[in-house]
């Protein structure tokens, strides 16, 4: 199976090479933990590989995205080759909730035939959750959206704010890869860490990989972030 890397060696190694082509991945984590930068690095890698990329952002404006992500080193020369879509989600785009409605709204937002899209990033689906304000509708919308990706051979990353609005939502089941980004309390203060919670067809490490964010994006550090105290111990 073809794997689509982030271009971050330690993360790619932990994933067995990257996200499997034509599957859906989830990046979850609280605000400021590094989700958008991680997803953008994957988009930049996609451009480098010649894939066509759609990045749907519910939070950026054209200007804020260009002056933030566009200035990061990994995006140099590549920014304008990502098809950025800045949207403000309104429940009316999705209601009444039918496959056709989701398809029409997606097509309008994406603005190109779906079969021409190789990779899609939806950052963040939490805004969809908030707009719909109903866990069943949210689940249904995501499922239809995931079906569209599958039908058209699209590899997708959904980005989700944690704690989840509807807790550990449907995305957990749709996703074949789950990456969790966090800011952890350590004796010296705080440290960034990311961990893989799920990866189909691959045995992955469970610990937090420490990282920093710089103008070059995510830079992993050596070692692991591990808990000092344990709830469980082995016993003979
Ligand atoms: N150029 C930079 N240098 C250092 N840190 C940065 C830089 N740009 C962003 N960051 C850090 O990244 C954090 C945001 O990452 P982002 O991926 O946007 O988070 P989110 O998980 O909310 O999407 C910021 O709060 C900041 O700490
Ligand atoms: Mg973000």
């Amino acid at each position: 199976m073809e794997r689509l890397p982030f271009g971050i060696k330690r993360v790619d190694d932990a994933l067995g090479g990257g996200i499997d082509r034509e599957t859906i991945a989830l990046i979850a984590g609280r605000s400021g933990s590094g989700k958008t930068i991680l997803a953008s690095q994957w988009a930049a890698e996609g451009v480098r590989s010649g894939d066509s990329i759609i990045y749907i952002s519910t939070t950026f404006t054209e200007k804020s995205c260009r002056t933030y992500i566009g200035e990061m080193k990994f995006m140099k020369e590549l920014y304008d080759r990502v098809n950025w879509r800045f949207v403000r989600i309104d429940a009316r785009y999705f209601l009444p909730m039918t496959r056709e409605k989701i398809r029409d709204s997606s097509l309008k937002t994406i603005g190109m035939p779906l079969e021409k899209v190789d990779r899609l990033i939806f950052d963040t689906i939490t805004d969809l959750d908030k707009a719909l304000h109903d866990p069943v509708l949210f689940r249904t919308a995501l499922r239809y959206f995931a079906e569209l990706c599958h039908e058209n051979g699209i590899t997708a990353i959904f980005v989700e704010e944690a704690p989840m609005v509807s807790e550990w939502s449907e995305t957990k089941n749709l996703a074949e890869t789950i990456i969790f980004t966090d800011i952890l309390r350590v004796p010296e203060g705080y440290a960034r860490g990311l961990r893989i919670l799920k990866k189909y067809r691959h045995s992955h490490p469970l610990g937090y990989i420490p990282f920093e964010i710089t103008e070059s994006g995510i830079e992993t550090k050596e070692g692991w972030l591990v808990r000092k105290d344990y709830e469980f111990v082995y016993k003979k």
Side-chain angles (χ1 to χ4, degrees):
M1 193 164 235
E2 191 193 351
R3 301 218 155 122
L4 308 181
F6 286 82
I8 304 166
K9 187 169 184 317
R10 211 176 153 193
V11 176
D12 294 333
D13 287 350
L15 291 168
I19 296 170
D20 295 4
R21 172 82 75 186
E22 296 187 26
T23 65
I24 289 167
L26 172 69
I27 298 177
R30 59 182 141 132
S31 200
S33 61
K35 304 181 297 298
T36 295
I37 292 178
L38 188 59
S40 302
Q41 287 188 243
W42 188 76
E45 278 301 298
V47 170
R48 268 195 208 98
S49 76
D51 276 1
S52 72
I53 324 288
I54 299 281
Y55 197 117
I56 299 174
S57 171
T58 62
T59 52
F60 285 137
T61 61
E62 188 154 8
K63 182 161 176 247
S64 65
C65 188
R66 185 176 288 280
T67 55
Y68 179 36
I69 300 301
E71 290 302 316
M72 303 211 82
K73 278 193 185 135
F74 60 83
M75 265 299 171
K76 281 278 145 65
E77 322 284 305
L78 304 175
Y79 184 82
D80 288 320
R81 287 159 64 195
V82 174
N83 299 288
W84 300 96
R85 302 288 185 259
F86 305 106
V87 298
R88 292 296 171 265
I89 293 196
D90 187 313
R92 278 173 301 178
Y93 304 160
F94 302 93
L95 297 174
M97 180 74 63
T98 60
R99 276 195 175 75
E100 291 62 42
K101 187 80 181 175
I102 297 291
R103 178 186 302 273
D104 289 349
S105 296
S106 303
L107 266 171
K108 256 183 223 135
T109 302
I110 289 168
M112 69 162 85
L114 294 181
E115 60 272 17
K116 293 233 166 96
V117 178
D118 296 312
R119 306 191 192 193
L120 185 143
I121 294 143
F122 193 152
D123 181 4
T124 78
I125 56 166
T126 304
D127 281 333
L128 177 60
D129 194 355
K130 283 183 187 150
L132 290 171
H133 214 77
D134 179 297
V136 177
L137 283 178
F138 178 55
R139 205 182 306 144
T140 308
L142 280 181
R143 210 176 54 238
Y144 290 165
F145 201 68
E147 279 173 18
L148 274 184
C149 292
H150 289 314
E151 282 163 18
N152 292 282
I154 296 170
T155 312
I157 292 183
F158 294 168
V159 177
E160 184 164 30
E161 297 276 339
M164 315 302 164
V165 175
S166 29
E167 52 179 82
W168 287 114
S169 66
E170 180 72 4
T171 44
K172 278 207 115 171
N173 305 319
L174 290 172
E176 297 196 12
T177 304
I178 301 177
I179 302 173
F180 189 66
T181 56
D182 207 354
I183 297 168
L184 303 166
R185 189 83 176 87
V186 294
E188 302 76 31
Y190 297 93
R192 293 184 191 281
L194 67 84
R195 66 193 301 212
I196 295 156
L197 291 180
K198 175 157 107 178
K199 177 74 207 286
Y200 280 5
R201 297 170 289 274
H202 178 69
S203 161
H204 57 82
L206 295 173
Y208 277 98
I209 298 173
F211 70 94
E212 279 172 3
I213 298 177
T214 70
E215 57 181 10
S216 303
I218 287 179
E219 292 187 356
T220 58
K221 300 197 286 186
E222 282 181 12
W224 301 95
L225 286 161
V226 292
R227 264 189 196 283
K228 196 160 97 22
D229 304 303
Y230 299 91
E231 279 182 55
F232 298 93
V233 291
Y234 286 110
K235 208 170 171 184
K236 282 231 169 84

Short mmCIF file of all heavy atoms in Angstrom, two decimals, residues 89-110 114 122 128 132 137 140-148 151:
data_model
loop_
_atom_site.label_atom_id
_atom_site.label_comp_id
_atom_site.label_asym_id
_atom_site.label_seq_id
_atom_site.Cartn_x
_atom_site.Cartn_y
_atom_site.Cartn_z
N ILE A 89 -18.53 27.77 8.02
CA ILE A 89 -19.54 26.73 7.92
C ILE A 89 -20.88 27.18 8.47
O ILE A 89 -20.96 27.77 9.55
CB ILE A 89 -19.05 25.45 8.64
CG1 ILE A 89 -17.86 24.93 7.83
CG2 ILE A 89 -20.16 24.42 8.73
CD1 ILE A 89 -17.47 23.54 8.11
N ASP A 90 -21.90 26.93 7.68
CA ASP A 90 -23.26 27.27 8.07
C ASP A 90 -24.09 26.00 7.90
O ASP A 90 -23.97 25.32 6.89
CB ASP A 90 -23.76 28.37 7.11
CG ASP A 90 -25.10 28.93 7.53
OD1 ASP A 90 -26.00 28.13 7.84
OD2 ASP A 90 -25.23 30.17 7.55
N ALA A 91 -24.91 25.71 8.89
CA ALA A 91 -25.69 24.47 8.86
C ALA A 91 -26.53 24.35 7.60
O ALA A 91 -26.80 23.25 7.12
CB ALA A 91 -26.58 24.39 10.10
N ARG A 92 -26.92 25.50 7.02
CA ARG A 92 -27.76 25.47 5.82
C ARG A 92 -27.09 24.76 4.64
O ARG A 92 -27.77 24.25 3.76
CB ARG A 92 -28.15 26.89 5.40
CG ARG A 92 -29.31 27.44 6.19
CD ARG A 92 -29.53 28.89 5.85
NE ARG A 92 -28.32 29.67 6.16
CZ ARG A 92 -28.20 30.98 5.94
NH1 ARG A 92 -29.17 31.64 5.39
NH2 ARG A 92 -27.08 31.61 6.26
N TYR A 93 -25.74 24.76 4.62
CA TYR A 93 -25.06 24.06 3.52
C TYR A 93 -25.32 22.55 3.58
O TYR A 93 -25.08 21.85 2.62
CB TYR A 93 -23.54 24.21 3.60
CG TYR A 93 -22.98 25.61 3.62
CD1 TYR A 93 -21.69 25.84 4.10
CD2 TYR A 93 -23.71 26.70 3.16
CE1 TYR A 93 -21.15 27.11 4.12
CE2 TYR A 93 -23.18 27.97 3.19
CZ TYR A 93 -21.90 28.17 3.67
OH TYR A 93 -21.35 29.42 3.71
N PHE A 94 -25.74 22.09 4.73
CA PHE A 94 -25.80 20.64 4.94
C PHE A 94 -27.22 20.11 5.15
O PHE A 94 -27.41 18.91 5.28
CB PHE A 94 -24.94 20.25 6.15
CG PHE A 94 -23.51 20.66 5.99
CD1 PHE A 94 -23.07 21.88 6.48
CD2 PHE A 94 -22.63 19.85 5.29
CE1 PHE A 94 -21.76 22.27 6.31
CE2 PHE A 94 -21.31 20.24 5.12
CZ PHE A 94 -20.88 21.46 5.63
N LEU A 95 -28.17 21.03 5.22
CA LEU A 95 -29.52 20.60 5.55
C LEU A 95 -30.49 20.86 4.40
O LEU A 95 -30.37 21.89 3.73
CB LEU A 95 -30.00 21.33 6.81
CG LEU A 95 -29.16 21.01 8.06
CD1 LEU A 95 -29.59 21.88 9.24
CD2 LEU A 95 -29.25 19.54 8.44
N PRO A 96 -31.45 19.99 4.13
CA PRO A 96 -31.65 18.71 4.81
C PRO A 96 -30.50 17.75 4.50
O PRO A 96 -29.98 17.76 3.39
CB PRO A 96 -32.96 18.19 4.21
CG PRO A 96 -33.05 18.84 2.87
CD PRO A 96 -32.39 20.18 3.02
N MET A 97 -30.13 16.96 5.48
CA MET A 97 -28.94 16.11 5.38
C MET A 97 -29.18 14.90 4.48
O MET A 97 -29.76 13.93 4.89
CB MET A 97 -28.57 15.65 6.80
CG MET A 97 -27.36 14.75 6.87
SD MET A 97 -25.83 15.63 6.64
CE MET A 97 -25.86 16.72 8.05
N THR A 98 -28.75 15.05 3.25
CA THR A 98 -28.82 13.92 2.31
C THR A 98 -27.46 13.79 1.64
O THR A 98 -26.66 14.72 1.66
CB THR A 98 -29.86 14.17 1.20
OG1 THR A 98 -29.48 15.35 0.48
CG2 THR A 98 -31.27 14.36 1.78
N ARG A 99 -27.22 12.64 1.04
CA ARG A 99 -25.96 12.42 0.30
C ARG A 99 -25.78 13.48 -0.77
O ARG A 99 -24.70 14.00 -0.97
CB ARG A 99 -25.99 11.06 -0.40
CG ARG A 99 -25.57 9.94 0.49
CD ARG A 99 -25.25 8.69 -0.32
NE ARG A 99 -24.73 7.67 0.58
CZ ARG A 99 -25.49 6.99 1.41
NH1 ARG A 99 -26.80 7.18 1.44
NH2 ARG A 99 -24.96 6.12 2.24
N GLU A 100 -26.89 13.80 -1.44
CA GLU A 100 -26.84 14.76 -2.56
C GLU A 100 -26.44 16.14 -2.06
O GLU A 100 -25.66 16.85 -2.68
CB GLU A 100 -28.19 14.84 -3.29
CG GLU A 100 -28.56 13.59 -4.08
CD GLU A 100 -28.72 12.34 -3.20
OE1 GLU A 100 -29.31 12.44 -2.09
OE2 GLU A 100 -28.24 11.27 -3.60
N LYS A 101 -27.03 16.51 -0.92
CA LYS A 101 -26.73 17.83 -0.36
C LYS A 101 -25.25 17.94 0.00
O LYS A 101 -24.60 18.96 -0.28
CB LYS A 101 -27.61 18.05 0.89
CG LYS A 101 -27.52 19.44 1.47
CD LYS A 101 -28.39 20.41 0.71
CE LYS A 101 -28.24 21.81 1.30
NZ LYS A 101 -28.96 22.80 0.51
N ILE A 102 -24.73 16.91 0.62
CA ILE A 102 -23.31 16.91 1.02
C ILE A 102 -22.43 16.94 -0.23
O ILE A 102 -21.44 17.67 -0.30
CB ILE A 102 -22.98 15.67 1.88
CG1 ILE A 102 -23.78 15.69 3.19
CG2 ILE A 102 -21.49 15.56 2.16
CD1 ILE A 102 -23.38 16.75 4.16
N ARG A 103 -22.84 16.17 -1.24
CA ARG A 103 -22.06 16.15 -2.48
C ARG A 103 -22.06 17.53 -3.15
O ARG A 103 -21.01 18.05 -3.53
CB ARG A 103 -22.64 15.10 -3.44
CG ARG A 103 -21.92 15.05 -4.80
CD ARG A 103 -22.64 14.11 -5.75
NE ARG A 103 -22.73 12.78 -5.19
CZ ARG A 103 -21.77 11.85 -5.33
NH1 ARG A 103 -20.70 12.11 -6.03
NH2 ARG A 103 -21.90 10.67 -4.77
N ASP A 104 -23.23 18.15 -3.24
CA ASP A 104 -23.34 19.47 -3.88
C ASP A 104 -22.51 20.51 -3.14
O ASP A 104 -21.78 21.28 -3.74
CB ASP A 104 -24.80 19.93 -3.95
CG ASP A 104 -25.59 19.11 -4.96
OD1 ASP A 104 -24.96 18.35 -5.73
OD2 ASP A 104 -26.83 19.21 -4.97
N SER A 105 -22.65 20.54 -1.81
CA SER A 105 -21.91 21.53 -1.02
C SER A 105 -20.41 21.30 -1.13
O SER A 105 -19.64 22.26 -1.23
CB SER A 105 -22.32 21.45 0.45
OG SER A 105 -23.66 21.79 0.58
N SER A 106 -20.01 20.04 -1.11
CA SER A 106 -18.58 19.72 -1.20
C SER A 106 -18.04 20.16 -2.55
O SER A 106 -16.97 20.77 -2.63
CB SER A 106 -18.33 18.22 -1.02
OG SER A 106 -18.87 17.80 0.21
N LEU A 107 -18.79 19.85 -3.60
CA LEU A 107 -18.35 20.23 -4.95
C LEU A 107 -18.20 21.73 -5.09
O LEU A 107 -17.23 22.23 -5.66
CB LEU A 107 -19.35 19.72 -5.99
CG LEU A 107 -19.01 18.36 -6.59
CD1 LEU A 107 -20.17 17.85 -7.44
CD2 LEU A 107 -17.73 18.43 -7.42
N LYS A 108 -19.17 22.45 -4.51
CA LYS A 108 -19.12 23.92 -4.58
C LYS A 108 -17.89 24.45 -3.85
O LYS A 108 -17.21 25.35 -4.34
CB LYS A 108 -20.39 24.50 -3.94
CG LYS A 108 -21.37 25.01 -5.00
CD LYS A 108 -22.58 25.66 -4.38
CE LYS A 108 -23.83 25.22 -5.11
NZ LYS A 108 -24.95 24.85 -4.25
N THR A 109 -17.63 23.90 -2.67
CA THR A 109 -16.49 24.36 -1.88
C THR A 109 -15.18 23.99 -2.55
O THR A 109 -14.25 24.80 -2.64
CB THR A 109 -16.55 23.72 -0.47
OG1 THR A 109 -17.78 24.08 0.12
CG2 THR A 109 -15.39 24.17 0.39
N ILE A 110 -15.09 22.76 -3.03
CA ILE A 110 -13.84 22.26 -3.59
C ILE A 110 -13.57 22.91 -4.95
O ILE A 110 -12.42 23.21 -5.28
CB ILE A 110 -13.88 20.72 -3.66
CG1 ILE A 110 -13.78 20.16 -2.23
CG2 ILE A 110 -12.77 20.15 -4.53
CD1 ILE A 110 -14.07 18.69 -2.08
N LEU A 114 -14.21 16.04 -8.27
CA LEU A 114 -13.64 15.29 -7.14
C LEU A 114 -12.62 14.25 -7.58
O LEU A 114 -11.67 13.96 -6.87
CB LEU A 114 -14.76 14.62 -6.34
CG LEU A 114 -15.73 15.57 -5.63
CD1 LEU A 114 -16.77 14.78 -4.85
CD2 LEU A 114 -14.98 16.50 -4.69
N PHE A 122 -9.46 18.80 5.87
CA PHE A 122 -10.62 19.52 6.39
C PHE A 122 -10.26 19.98 7.80
O PHE A 122 -10.21 19.18 8.73
CB PHE A 122 -11.84 18.59 6.40
CG PHE A 122 -13.17 19.29 6.61
CD1 PHE A 122 -14.32 18.72 6.09
CD2 PHE A 122 -13.27 20.47 7.33
CE1 PHE A 122 -15.56 19.33 6.29
CE2 PHE A 122 -14.49 21.08 7.52
CZ PHE A 122 -15.64 20.51 7.00
N LEU A 128 -17.86 22.14 11.89
CA LEU A 128 -19.04 21.47 11.35
C LEU A 128 -19.90 20.91 12.50
O LEU A 128 -21.13 21.06 12.51
CB LEU A 128 -18.58 20.34 10.42
CG LEU A 128 -19.64 19.45 9.79
CD1 LEU A 128 -20.60 20.26 8.94
CD2 LEU A 128 -18.98 18.37 8.93
N LEU A 132 -23.72 22.19 13.19
CA LEU A 132 -24.86 21.27 13.11
C LEU A 132 -25.51 21.08 14.48
O LEU A 132 -26.72 20.86 14.58
CB LEU A 132 -24.43 19.92 12.53
CG LEU A 132 -24.06 19.95 11.05
CD1 LEU A 132 -23.45 18.63 10.63
CD2 LEU A 132 -25.28 20.26 10.19
N LEU A 137 -26.52 14.23 13.29
CA LEU A 137 -26.33 14.92 12.01
C LEU A 137 -24.84 15.02 11.67
O LEU A 137 -24.43 14.83 10.53
CB LEU A 137 -26.93 16.33 12.06
CG LEU A 137 -28.45 16.42 11.94
CD1 LEU A 137 -28.89 17.88 12.05
CD2 LEU A 137 -28.94 15.82 10.63
N THR A 140 -23.58 11.72 10.50
CA THR A 140 -24.07 11.43 9.15
C THR A 140 -23.30 12.24 8.12
O THR A 140 -22.88 11.72 7.09
CB THR A 140 -25.58 11.74 9.06
OG1 THR A 140 -26.23 11.08 10.14
CG2 THR A 140 -26.16 11.26 7.75
N ALA A 141 -23.10 13.52 8.40
CA ALA A 141 -22.37 14.38 7.47
C ALA A 141 -20.96 13.84 7.25
O ALA A 141 -20.49 13.77 6.11
CB ALA A 141 -22.31 15.81 8.01
N LEU A 142 -20.31 13.45 8.32
CA LEU A 142 -18.95 12.92 8.20
C LEU A 142 -18.92 11.64 7.40
O LEU A 142 -18.04 11.42 6.58
CB LEU A 142 -18.36 12.64 9.58
CG LEU A 142 -17.81 13.83 10.34
CD1 LEU A 142 -17.24 13.36 11.66
CD2 LEU A 142 -16.72 14.54 9.54
N ARG A 143 -19.93 10.81 7.62
CA ARG A 143 -19.96 9.53 6.91
C ARG A 143 -20.15 9.78 5.40
O ARG A 143 -19.46 9.18 4.58
CB ARG A 143 -21.06 8.63 7.47
CG ARG A 143 -20.71 7.16 7.32
CD ARG A 143 -21.72 6.23 7.94
NE ARG A 143 -23.05 6.48 7.45
CZ ARG A 143 -24.10 6.80 8.22
NH1 ARG A 143 -23.94 6.89 9.52
NH2 ARG A 143 -25.27 7.01 7.69
N TYR A 144 -21.04 10.68 5.05
CA TYR A 144 -21.26 11.00 3.63
C TYR A 144 -20.00 11.60 3.03
O TYR A 144 -19.62 11.31 1.89
CB TYR A 144 -22.43 11.97 3.46
CG TYR A 144 -23.79 11.37 3.75
CD1 TYR A 144 -24.90 12.19 3.94
CD2 TYR A 144 -23.98 9.99 3.80
CE1 TYR A 144 -26.17 11.67 4.20
CE2 TYR A 144 -25.24 9.45 4.06
CZ TYR A 144 -26.33 10.29 4.26
OH TYR A 144 -27.56 9.78 4.52
N PHE A 145 -19.37 12.45 3.81
CA PHE A 145 -18.16 13.10 3.35
C PHE A 145 -17.04 12.06 3.13
O PHE A 145 -16.33 12.09 2.12
CB PHE A 145 -17.74 14.13 4.40
CG PHE A 145 -16.85 15.20 3.87
CD1 PHE A 145 -17.32 16.13 2.97
CD2 PHE A 145 -15.52 15.26 4.27
CE1 PHE A 145 -16.48 17.11 2.46
CE2 PHE A 145 -14.69 16.24 3.77
CZ PHE A 145 -15.16 17.16 2.87
N ALA A 146 -16.93 11.14 4.06
CA ALA A 146 -15.94 10.06 3.95
C ALA A 146 -16.24 9.20 2.72
O ALA A 146 -15.33 8.81 1.99
CB ALA A 146 -15.93 9.22 5.21
N GLU A 147 -17.51 8.93 2.47
CA GLU A 147 -17.90 8.13 1.30
C GLU A 147 -17.47 8.82 0.00
O GLU A 147 -16.97 8.16 -0.91
CB GLU A 147 -19.42 7.92 1.27
CG GLU A 147 -19.88 6.80 2.19
CD GLU A 147 -21.41 6.71 2.30
OE1 GLU A 147 -22.12 7.27 1.42
OE2 GLU A 147 -21.87 6.09 3.25
N LEU A 148 -17.66 10.13 -0.03
CA LEU A 148 -17.24 10.90 -1.21
C LEU A 148 -15.74 10.74 -1.45
O LEU A 148 -15.29 10.59 -2.58
CB LEU A 148 -17.52 12.39 -1.01
CG LEU A 148 -18.89 12.93 -1.36
CD1 LEU A 148 -18.88 14.44 -1.16
CD2 LEU A 148 -19.26 12.58 -2.79
N GLU A 151 -15.09 7.12 -2.70
CA GLU A 151 -15.56 6.92 -4.10
C GLU A 151 -14.61 7.56 -5.10
O GLU A 151 -14.52 7.11 -6.24
CB GLU A 151 -16.94 7.58 -4.29
CG GLU A 151 -18.09 6.78 -3.73
CD GLU A 151 -19.35 7.64 -3.58
OE1 GLU A 151 -19.43 8.72 -4.22
OE2 GLU A 151 -20.24 7.22 -2.82
#
